[in-house]
Amino acid sequence: MVVLKQLEAYLIVHHPLRALPSYLQALGIPPEGEGALRVYGVLSDSYRCDVCLMEPPHVLALGAAFLACASACSTSSSTAMRGSPSDAAASEVLREAMPRFEQLEGISVDDFAPFARHMLDYYEGDAAALRTSVCRD
């Protein structure tokens, strides 16, 4: 920040939270539901690594939604049922949203694959961290 002040430069940061509600709506994920909390958790975790500096905001938002949906799809329904009823409901909402990614115009899964790779490296294969609705500590 000191360097920016010395250079008399301005820094404008576009945050993915602005685009996320419209993407959640397009995917059929209720913005106030448990499924959305999982998406917000992945998005918050993305700020703990450098991926937020390398990808544009819409890629971060869609990538977080994709990872949350993919983790819900990879969870068997019996595993989801062992959690709380809200966990099972969130997993079901995210599973239903997965096919809708292909219907988004101008968006390809390849667009946010680098984000997914970075976040999976961050989680180091800890799939359980992706299935929780809170940020990783």
Side-chain angles (χ1 to χ4, degrees):
M1 202 62 176
V2 173
V3 173
L4 292 175
K5 285 183 181 178
Q6 291 297 322
L7 293 174
E8 296 181 8
Y10 293 98
L11 177 65
I12 299 172
V13 178
H14 296 278
H15 202 279
L17 288 178
R18 175 179 251 169
L20 191 56
S22 63
Y23 288 133
L24 291 177
Q25 183 180 12
L27 294 169
I29 301 171
E32 295 84 24
E34 290 288 326
L37 287 176
R38 291 185 191 185
V39 176
Y40 282 108
V42 173
L43 188 57
S44 294
D45 286 344
S46 72
Y47 283 93
R48 294 176 180 233
C49 54
D50 59 354
V51 70
C52 63
L53 301 173
M54 298 184 299
E55 301 294 339
H58 74 280
V59 170
L60 297 175
L62 279 171
F66 179 78
L67 278 180
C69 291
S71 69
C73 288
S74 68
T75 306
S76 68
S77 53
S78 63
T79 304
M81 291 301 176
R82 279 186 246 141
S84 69
S86 63
D87 286 342
S91 293
E92 186 59 32
V93 166
L94 292 171
R95 270 191 224 98
E96 290 173 3
M98 192 64 175
R100 294 187 187 113
F101 275 94
E102 297 170 1
Q103 298 169 357
L104 293 175
E105 291 184 30
I107 301 294
S108 167
V109 174
D110 296 335
D111 293 339
F112 44 87
F115 171 83
R117 280 193 292 274
H118 280 283
M119 290 308 297
L120 289 174
D121 287 344
Y122 172 74
Y123 288 121
E124 297 173 1
D126 185 7
L130 283 170
R131 287 190 290 273
T132 61
S133 61
V134 294
C135 298
R136 183 177 175 194
D137 291 331

